[in-house]
Amino acid sequence: MKIDILTIFPDFFRGPLDYGIVRRARESGLATIEVHDLRTFAHDRHRTVDDRPFGGGEGMVLKPEPIFECIEGLNIQGRAERLAPGAKQSVVLLSAQGRPFDQSVAEELAALERIVLICGRYEGVDERVGQHLADRELSIGDYVLSGGELGAAVILDTVTRLIPGALGNEASARQESFSAGTAVQPGGADSTCASGGLLDYPHYTRPADFRGMQVPEVLVSGNHEEIRRWRRRTALEKTWRNRPDLLDGAALGDEDRELLARITGKEN
Ligand code: SAM
């Protein structure tokens, strides 16, 4: 996958690109990530990328020219092609007014061959970028950031770990919070617990006794069926407690519904 990032602060990405899974994906060639400095595409002496808003009002707005010029130099498909069914490229504008970015959007993006992320700044980006250049606007949450760089880093990280081969253990992406998957039924081949749209179950590691805080006994029992059941129950409990909205869309089996009835009965 190729990912291009357009920003006026290219150095911002030194951290996000140089650690962990993103770094490994770059080094192994699974992801090619390029950061483009928008100031390079400003042609005046001061490399100006912003201007005052038409109609008056507070702050400055990122000008359209550097963004259009940069993208035109990237050999990206036209907007109409990118909006057509089966398109393999996307130009994303980071925006607080965008569609919410979540795991299903991340999965959609991870299936593409190329993504361009445009980071806004100031009061935002000239609207023509969203209307005529980008094919989608994404928001990483209902709050206002100073710039799109943090949002781009979030998307970059989330999408990269979904590229097949980016995680050492393929199963871990399927089991994580929010991943669709299907619930593993009792006696299923998999001894672990697929998320099925629930939050992840709790994880523990050595030491089994840390300052008197014990690891749940079932996890050291060696009984795989009991462990699977415990993980499913605790995932359901966590989801019920922290994100009950997810339960409606979760893939729940008979065993889950039984466990959930017990959990909700207990907590009501
Ligand atoms: N005036 C805009 C508004 O009220 O929606 C906020 C502009 S914000 C200060 C500057 C830039 O940060 C935006 O152009 C966008 O690229 C980025 N940004 C801010 N909040 C964001 C969010 N929740 N998700 C994604 N990008 C965001």
Side-chain angles (χ1 to χ4, degrees), residues 94-97 120 122-124 138-141 143-148:
L94 276 298
S95 165
Q97 301 136 42
Y122 313 114
E123 280 307 310
L138 291 177
S139 162
I140 63 156
Y143 36 77
V144 177
L145 299 162
S146 313

Side-chain angles (χ1 to χ4, degrees), residues 61-172:
V61 176
L62 259 188
K63 289 160 68 63
E65 302 97 311
I67 300 175
F68 272 78
E69 264 190 49
C70 178
I71 288 191
E72 280 155 9
L74 292 181
N75 196 21
I76 296 285
Q77 285 177 331
R79 189 169 185 271
E81 279 172 277
R82 284 183 267 117
L83 285 169
K88 287 285 173 203
Q89 301 188 356
S90 182
V91 173
V92 179
L93 174 63
L94 276 298
S95 165
Q97 301 136 42
R99 182 179 152 211
F101 175 71
D102 62 13
Q103 194 68 20
S104 67
V105 179
E107 282 163 13
E108 229 177 89
L109 293 178
L112 304 181
E113 287 162 6
R114 188 148 189 200
I115 315 172
V116 180
L117 302 170
I118 305 171
C119 306
R121 275 275 156 181
Y122 313 114
E123 280 307 310
V125 178
D126 187 288
E127 191 66 15
R128 288 164 288 192
V129 170
Q131 278 176 345
H132 302 288
L133 187 62
D135 49 84
R136 63 180 100 196
E137 289 186 36
L138 291 177
S139 162
I140 63 156
D142 290 348
Y143 36 77
V144 177
L145 299 162
S146 313
E149 287 76 12
L150 279 168
V154 166
I155 294 177
L156 168 79
D157 188 280
T158 317
V159 170
T160 303
R161 66 205 310 288
L162 290 173
I163 300 173
L167 296 181
N169 173 8
E170 283 302 310
S172 50

Side-chain angles (χ1 to χ4, degrees), residues 5-73:
I5 301 170
L6 278 56
T7 173
I8 61 168
F9 294 124
D11 286 349
F12 179 95
F13 290 94
R14 277 204 208 140
L17 292 186
D18 285 349
Y19 293 93
I21 287 163
V22 174
R23 182 191 183 133
R24 282 208 307 276
R26 288 174 57 225
E27 288 175 348
S28 65
L30 285 174
T32 306
I33 303 168
E34 249 185 277
V35 181
H36 307 272
D37 183 354
L38 284 170
R39 290 196 191 277
T40 317
F41 299 87
H43 304 300
D44 65 319
R45 206 154 51 92
H46 302 291
R47 299 252 176 242
T48 311
V49 289
D50 58 320
D51 208 339
R52 283 168 296 151
F54 278 119
E58 292 300 308
M60 302 296 271
V61 176
L62 259 188
K63 289 160 68 63
E65 302 97 311
I67 300 175
F68 272 78
E69 264 190 49
C70 178
I71 288 191
E72 280 155 9

